[in-house]
Amino acid sequence: MSPSSDTRSKVITTFRDQPTFSCAQCAAVIALQDELISKAFSGRDGRGYLMHSAVNLKMGRREERPLLTGVHTVADVYCMGCNDRMGWYYHKASDHSQKYKEGKYLLEREKLVKENNWKLDG
C-alpha cells in the first residue's frame, strides 16, 4: 500500500480510557503512553520518542539510512488515517551498541498529540 493511497477506513479504535499519543493531523490513536521508552531521540523534524510499539501505522519501504548514531535499516511509517509521515521503524542497527532499537518505533514529537483521558470525579 503506498503512502498516498486512501486508508482512512482502515483506522482502528483502540485503548479506550487509556493515555495515548494520537496523530496531530487526524486524531488516529498511534500508541499507548505506556509504550514510551525515551524522549531523548532526534527525528527528522526535531525531537522524537522511541516507542516499544505503535498502531494505525503502515510501513514504507526499507532503506539504509545514516542517522546520528550510525547507519540503520529503517522504514518510514505513515498514519493510516491521513497518510502523514509519523517517523520510522528500526529494522536493523549495524552497530552492536544500537541493537536495542531494533523492532522499535521513532515517532516525531511534533506529529503527536498527548491524550491523557483523565476522568474528573464530581
Side-chain angles (χ1 to χ4, degrees), residues 25-42:
Q25 189 85 359
C26 74
V29 171
I30 301 298
L32 277 173
Q33 289 181 29
D34 288 347
E35 294 296 297
L36 178 66
I37 299 168
S38 175
K39 295 179 180 179
F41 277 72
S42 294

Side-chain angles (χ1 to χ4, degrees), residues 27-65:
V29 171
I30 301 298
L32 277 173
Q33 289 181 29
D34 288 347
E35 294 296 297
L36 178 66
I37 299 168
S38 175
K39 295 179 180 179
F41 277 72
S42 294
R44 280 189 179 161
D45 305 318
R47 303 306 301 162
Y49 294 162
L50 186 67
M51 307 293 293
H52 280 292
S53 68
V55 296
N56 292 325
L57 295 175
K58 57 186 172 183
M59 217 163 290
R61 67 177 182 80
R62 238 182 232 223
E63 64 181 47
E64 299 286 318
R65 188 176 297 164

